[in-house]
Amino acid sequence: MHQLLQRLCLCAGALCLAAPAFSQTDITEDGGVITSPHINWNSNENFPKLIDNYPGTKYQYESGAFTVVYEANFPSLVTQYAVTSAADNPDRDPMNWVLDGSNDGVNWTSLDQRFGQFFNARLERQLFTIATPGTYKQYRLIAFATREGRYIHLGEWELLSPVKTAIPASLTATLVPGQRVKIGWKDNATNETGYSVERSTDGRNYHIAALLPPNAKSYIDSNLATDQQYAYRVRAITTEGAGKASPAAIIRTEKGPSLDDITDFKEGRLTARYAYSGPEGLSKLTDNTPNSFLHMWNSPSWLLYYLPGGAVVTQYAFTVSNESAEYDPSDWTLEASNDSLNWTVLNTQHKQQFERGTRRVYAFANKSNYQYYRFQLANNSWGINLSELEILGKGEGSLSKDKPVTAGNFHAQGVSPYQVVLAWNDDANDETSYRLERSKDSIRWNTVDNLNPGTTLFYSRNLTPQTKYYYRLSAINRNGRSAYTYVSATTTPDESPLYWQEHWLEHRQLLKRVHNNKDVAFYFDNDVPANTTWMFTEFTAAWKYIKKTYGTFCDPKLYVVLHEDKYHGGHAAAVCDSNHDYRNVIDLGGEWSFRNDWNIGAPVHEIGHIVEGNSKDVRESPAFSIWGDSKWCEIFNYDVYKNIGWAEDAKAVYDQMQTHSDVFPRPGTYWFRDWFYPLYTRGDSSVTLNRYFELLADYFPQHNGVYTRRMNMGEFVHFWSGAAGYNLKAQADTAFGWNDEYEMQFKQARIDYPFTYPENCRPRPLPSKPWNQAHEYLTALWPNPASGTLYFNGPNDRTVYTVEAYALSGQRSLTARVSGKNAPIDVSALHTGLYLFAVSDQSGVLFTRKILITKPSGKGKYQG
């Protein structure tokens, strides 16, 4: 460190200048490798985030200093580099750093040194010009010294090369027989020394598939997986490095033939280099259950499958776990033998990437029968997880004729008035499903569910309070059903306790119930004034609307816990959470004597987390890593306010969100304005929001009542397209930007989750019943034009009428329920324009009328 400080003090005169006019290529995008001795074991903040092209993500390390090395695929002349500050905590920004270059990883040349640097803002990109650049294959960044001292972080690191060469044009990708793809392009360059063909399975991480001579115009790629998307791009190579890559061509390979999985044969035996047993042991690799996995903590390693009669294998499949991608295998070789001494290489794979839970099939040519098949797995410093291994071909063996064994340790607990939790051991290992049945008398049984193999937990919900239930469970496979195992449990009384002891997080207060009705129970700590009552009707109305829109969440009651001047902020818990006694809970701290934006907004926000975290009786929020803490809750709060009549609160949310931006997935993302509000208004508002959770529960992978992984952006757009009722890809491009990664994810999602929707938004039909002049003296909406308030007279004072306003495109913009004479309808939320108002009762639409709405004086522009 002393020598490093000396180098910084010498400061070799590199200048911080504006970028030159010529085009720059960021060489960290050429498919090279970034490494570091300073690993953050939280993969969401590990060093690969430095070059992921998402400034909102970051690399963080706990020591106040880090070293990272980028090894490019080609020696490159770097004349500038850029660093971008992280999205939070300026006290963790590096103040000093050094940039070095090398061609052997041993001898390093100093290129630039900085000390006493400061970022003026979050996500600020600072560009530096190297005074004496050179051509190097490896670039090293050493950063240290922060104001906090303990942590150091950085958002992005770019290495910029001024390579001048034409970009290959007209790139095409076509299938060739034998699981091959032909890549073709137009050779525009005149100074290239060769071409690099790069391949990706995720649209973000590209690796070299081939290096070709100058003037090349095509390449046939082989050794590919079946039924798999690939993205290809091509770039010209010069003496100074790699030029810019062409736009990508995306193609899907053909499906392979259906073959037997020889690991199912009872005569076969699977072994490994090391002994792996227990819940993440070797048996999990061939149990045909994707939610279990083998964890190999030692690598490099090997897996060996022996079949005495042998098999002709031409395919194999890896299914990766839902754990972190760092545990995925990336490089391996498949070998075959008949004596376990002399081995023939059948297939080799290099730098593979997987989406979570992906099954990928690899095909190869082979006509020989082998008894031994061995996978040599390359070193991975994190260890290796693999969920399923299938070896596919035609072999000599037989399937077991045994029925599955009975699940062990079947037990149940009545945890609430409406819920029993059941658990058991997955002792079968060869089941294709579990059948769970329920009874109130242990004589007449009804099937509760047919559960996926590997299930060990079930939440039996929406039950009757203080009732004894009987359950029986059997495992099923191709040979039949196991014997039943039995258990019983009784639900608890439907009571809200007068006193409730907190036992979660740092909360340890004794709470007293201060208000209770059929929908909401309120609990205060001793510091909340006893005369604080304004929220009783407010939160009750909100929860009633939420149950009507999204369901009861097993328990029809919401528990509202409020603290005064402690535990500032809030959190939520749902009926799946034992730490909150299996109740729907929102727990907040603050000052509660009056109603204000925060005191109404924060509790509804927390209810929004109950909705996203346990909707349709499935736990977790697969989109949380995309929309974070607030983005879903912004449209949720707006919807709640709008539909229970809090017009001013809805307007405040709308106005605030027009100028509120976020840093993910790119800086300047307007989640509410450009994503949620358009799909909400062009669809059918709250029905659209609820339909998203219905689709998740029907399609997205889950295990033991929990979604098994986070969704990616392509899946996110697909599910919301299904909810909105039309393809949202163009809207996602506006809101988030669109790239190869999203395109591949979106295409894959439409295959994996086969619900469909139109490609374009179709306006809903307007109510068609015309205005009946004969009823004008009985029924009226006035004035016309209207500004701020519209008035309604119904033909029957005691009937409740629904009044809806539609834009002429068919989008519903307002709904109100009114009765009596001269009933006011607040239309201040509508922007200026002509609307079709429809009045209906339980029999349907009575009449429609067009009314011009103008903005009241002094009101801001607002679209409702």
Side-chain angles (χ1 to χ4, degrees):
M1 185 64 73
H2 177 68
Q3 292 178 336
L4 185 59
L5 287 172
Q6 284 185 323
R7 291 167 60 189
L8 289 171
C9 293
L10 291 173
C11 191
L15 303 176
C16 181
L17 300 173
F22 50 76
S23 175
Q24 297 274 69
T25 299
D26 180 6
I27 71 166
T28 67
E29 298 178 7
D30 77 349
V33 178
I34 187 170
T35 58
S36 174
H38 303 131
I39 298 174
N40 185 333
W41 295 100
N42 174 4
S43 61
N44 292 322
E45 294 183 349
N46 200 21
F47 57 80
K49 298 298 181 182
L50 271 180
I51 60 170
D52 66 355
N53 293 323
Y54 293 120
T57 63
K58 68 177 181 180
Y59 169 41
Q60 179 166 283
Y61 190 66
E62 186 180 4
S63 78
F66 66 73
T67 298
V68 291
V69 175
Y70 183 76
E71 182 172 351
N73 276 321
F74 313 97
S76 298
L77 175 68
V78 172
T79 57
Q80 292 183 308
Y81 69 98
V83 289
T84 301
S85 61
D88 60 357
N89 205 334
D91 289 340
R92 296 178 181 179
D93 292 343
M95 294 187 292
N96 305 335
W97 61 77
V98 169
L99 180 70
D100 299 329
S102 175
N103 280 308
D104 59 10
V106 176
N107 301 291
W108 293 90
T109 300
S110 177
L111 300 177
D112 193 23
Q113 308 89 32
R114 299 284 159 172
F115 66 96
Q117 295 292 132
F118 288 93
F119 292 92
N120 299 310
R122 299 301 80 210
L123 301 179
E124 179 187 2
R125 180 178 184 266
Q126 293 189 3
L127 182 66
F128 301 91
T129 296
I130 299 172
T132 308
T135 300
Y136 301 99
K137 190 173 184 181
Q138 295 163 310
Y139 288 87
R140 179 175 67 185
L141 180 68
I142 303 172
F144 65 98
T146 69
R147 282 176 286 185
E148 181 184 275
R150 179 180 176 188
Y151 286 95
I152 186 170
H153 65 189
L154 198 60
E156 282 288 306
W157 177 36
E158 302 165 67
L159 295 166
L160 304 171
S161 174
V163 176
K164 298 178 183 179
T165 188
I167 300 173
S170 305
L171 187 70
T172 60
T174 55
L175 292 177
V176 177
Q179 292 299 331
R180 298 182 299 165
V181 172
K182 182 177 181 180
I183 312 301
W185 62 93
K186 184 178 180 181
D187 175 18
N188 288 332
T190 59
N191 62 336
E192 81 274 17
T193 58
Y195 276 101
S196 171
V197 178
E198 298 167 3
R199 178 180 61 213
S200 174
T201 56
D202 62 10
R204 178 164 52 91
N205 297 293
Y206 282 84
H207 300 290
I208 294 176
L211 293 175
L212 304 176
N215 303 317
K217 297 179 182 179
S218 66
Y219 173 71
I220 294 179
D221 193 20
S222 58
N223 195 31
L224 303 175
T226 68
D227 195 23
Q228 168 68 40
Q229 285 191 109
Y230 288 96
Y232 290 92
R233 66 188 188 189
V234 179
R235 67 174 85 227
I237 310 302
T238 74
T239 56
E240 293 182 337
K244 283 186 174 295
S246 67
I250 298 173
I251 193 169
R252 178 179 289 275
T253 56
E254 297 175 341
K255 292 184 178 180
S258 178
L259 299 169
D260 294 332
D261 178 7
I262 67 170
T263 68
D264 288 337
F265 292 162
K266 66 180 182 180
E267 294 87 357
R269 186 175 75 251
L270 180 67
T271 56
R273 181 176 181 179
Y274 302 97
Y276 302 111
S277 59
E280 297 177 359
L282 193 60
S283 65
K284 302 302 180 183
L285 193 56
T286 55
D287 64 356
N288 297 314
T289 304
N291 293 302
S292 63
F293 61 89
L294 163 67
H295 175 61
M296 294 177 278
W297 58 87
N298 306 97
S299 66
S301 189
W302 49 256
L303 298 166
L304 176 66
Y305 185 73
Y306 169 64
L307 186 65
V312 179
V313 171
T314 54
Q315 297 179 26
Y316 63 93
F318 279 179
T319 301
V320 298
S321 75
N322 288 306
E323 302 296 302
S324 173
E326 276 78 5
Y327 292 98
D328 292 345
S330 62
D331 297 76
W332 63 83
T333 297
L334 171 61
E335 305 168 316
S337 174
N338 278 314
D339 59 8
S340 73
L341 298 174
N342 300 288
W343 294 92
T344 299
V345 174
L346 297 180
N347 187 253
T348 298
Q349 295 295 331
H350 182 53
K351 294 186 178 180
Q352 297 293 297
Q353 296 101 26
F354 299 85
E355 293 285 349
R356 300 298 80 225
T358 298
R359 176 182 182 265
R360 188 172 297 164
V361 180
Y362 298 90
F364 50 90
N366 174 44
K367 296 182 180 180
S368 298
N369 187 86
Y370 293 103
Q371 293 176 295
Y372 297 89
Y373 289 91
R374 182 172 68 184
F375 293 89
Q376 296 279 10
L377 302 166
N379 184 56
N380 183 342
S381 59
W382 291 65
I384 297 174
N385 286 349
L386 197 56
S387 179
E388 284 293 309
L389 167 65
E390 301 163 70
I391 303 176
L392 305 169
K394 298 295 182 180
E396 295 296 325
S398 59
L399 300 175
S400 170
K401 295 182 179 180
D402 295 334
K403 296 178 181 179
V405 300
T406 303
N409 193 29
F410 188 35
H411 57 283
Q413 180 184 5
V415 296
S416 80
Y418 306 96
Q419 181 175 205
V420 168
V421 178
L422 302 112
W424 59 92
N425 295 340
D426 178 29
D427 293 331
N429 271 335
D430 60 349
E431 80 278 7
T432 56
S433 67
Y434 279 104
R435 181 180 295 165
L436 179 66
E437 300 173 61
R438 184 177 68 212
S439 172
K440 287 186 178 180
D441 59 10
S442 74
I443 299 173
R444 290 163 293 186
W445 294 91
N446 296 309
T447 299
V448 177
D449 210 339
N450 290 304
L451 306 173
N452 291 330
T455 301
T456 58
L457 183 69
F458 185 81
Y459 298 92
S460 183
R461 290 178 173 159
N462 303 302
L463 305 176
T464 302
Q466 230 167 340
T467 302
K468 187 173 185 178
Y469 289 92
Y470 300 86
Y471 296 88
R472 65 184 187 184
L473 180 72
S474 62
I476 298 172
N477 69 12
R478 65 175 69 88
N479 301 317
R481 187 178 63 194
S482 73
Y484 282 111
T485 179
Y486 294 82
V487 75
S488 64
T490 302
T491 53
T492 64
D494 189 11
E495 298 176 356
S496 302
L498 181 60
Y499 290 94
W500 190 11
Q501 178 64 55
E502 288 184 303
H503 54 89
W504 48 84
L505 305 175
E506 72 274 25
H507 296 221
R508 294 295 183 268
Q509 301 294 305
L510 181 64
L511 308 171
K512 182 178 181 181
R513 193 186 70 208
V514 296
H515 183 77
N516 189 37
N517 59 47
K518 66 178 182 179
D519 298 296
V520 182
F522 291 83
Y523 289 82
F524 293 173
D525 70 16
N526 291 332
D527 296 319
V528 180
N531 62 354
T532 304
T533 62
W534 63 264
M535 73 281 292
F536 296 164
T537 57
E538 302 275 35
F539 295 172
T540 298
W543 184 244
K544 289 175 71 173
Y545 167 73
I546 289 157
K547 288 191 295 181
K548 176 183 176 182
T549 304
Y550 298 98
T552 64
F553 300 93
C554 181
D555 189 335
K557 186 167 287 189
L558 173 71
Y559 291 77
V560 179
V561 176
L562 300 181
H563 298 278
E564 189 89 1
D565 293 328
K566 66 175 73 69
Y567 311 133
H568 292 282
H571 71 273
V575 293
C576 52
D577 190 345
S578 62
N579 290 330
H580 290 69
D581 302 323
Y582 298 98
R583 293 177 168 95
N584 295 306
V585 179
I586 59 172
D587 190 325
L588 301 104
E591 200 282 304
W592 298 101
S593 60
F594 57 91
R595 186 190 195 279
N596 60 21
D597 291 345
W598 196 92
N599 282 355
I600 201 72
V604 175
H605 172 109
E606 296 303 337
I607 296 173
H609 288 318
I610 294 177
V611 172
E612 70 165 311
N614 198 44
S615 190
K616 315 309 171 191
D617 292 333
V618 187
R619 189 174 186 176
E620 274 295 342
S621 174
F624 192 83
S625 58
I626 294 175
W627 64 32
D629 179 62
S630 300
K631 305 311 156 194
W632 151 251
C633 290
E634 288 162 2
I635 191 65
F636 176 81
N637 279 36
Y638 175 83
D639 174 66
V640 172
Y641 297 167
K642 184 173 181 288
N643 283 284
I644 63 177
W646 299 350
E648 289 302 315
D649 296 297
K651 182 180 185 301
V653 170
Y654 178 89
D655 289 342
Q656 179 187 4
M657 290 301 108
Q658 300 313 296
T659 58
H660 181 75
S661 66
D662 199 75
V663 301
F664 187 84
R666 61 181 180 181
T669 297
Y670 290 82
W671 271 89
F672 183 95
R673 186 192 73 185
D674 294 340
W675 178 253
F676 275 124
Y677 188 75
L679 69 86
Y680 178 86
T681 55
R682 293 172 191 166
D684 41 10
S685 58
S686 57
V687 177
T688 295
L689 303 184
N690 181 59
R691 191 181 295 119
Y692 164 79
F693 293 105
E694 291 177 335
L695 288 171
L696 276 186
D698 288 342
Y699 287 94
F700 205 70
Q702 52 187 274
H703 177 63
N704 285 347
V706 182
Y707 291 116
T708 56
R709 61 176 177 83
R710 302 297 193 190
M711 60 172 38
N712 58 47
M713 184 61 81
E715 292 169 333
F716 180 82
V717 174
H718 175 55
F719 273 89
W720 277 107
S721 295
Y726 65 99
N727 192 332
L728 294 173
K729 177 180 167 180
Q731 186 174 315
D733 190 11
T734 299
F736 313 127
W738 201 254
N739 55 38
D740 297 341
E741 181 180 13
Y742 297 167
E743 178 69 15
M744 295 180 75
Q745 292 170 349
F746 185 64
K747 287 181 175 180
Q748 188 65 48
R750 299 184 80 171
I751 295 172
D752 293 341
Y753 314 110
F755 52 84
T756 60
Y757 37 80
E759 290 304 302
N760 299 302
C761 178
R762 298 173 182 174
R764 287 168 297 169
L766 296 172
S768 58
K769 201 159 189 175
W771 169 255
N772 189 337
Q773 295 291 336
H775 291 96
E776 188 165 3
Y777 70 98
L778 289 174
T779 310
L781 285 167
W782 85 93
N784 188 9
S787 179
T789 303
L790 190 66
Y791 295 91
F792 170 77
N793 274 337
N796 187 327
D797 290 353
R798 296 183 179 181
T799 298
V800 177
Y801 297 90
T802 299
V803 180
E804 297 175 296
Y806 292 83
L808 297 188
S809 64
Q811 299 165 14
R812 185 173 58 196
S813 303
L814 178 146
T815 301
R817 293 175 61 81
V818 292
S819 63
K821 297 293 185 183
N822 304 324
I825 300 171
D826 184 3
V827 294
S828 63
L830 301 179
H831 61 77
T832 298
L834 190 65
Y835 292 83
L836 186 72
F837 281 79
V839 176
S840 59
D841 62 10
Q842 291 183 346
S843 66
V845 176
L846 299 177
F847 67 87
T848 61
R849 189 179 187 187
K850 291 181 180 178
I851 295 177
L852 177 64
I853 302 296
T854 62
K855 296 306 297 181
S857 60
K859 296 281 187 178
K861 184 179 180 182
Y862 173 59
Q863 297 179 353

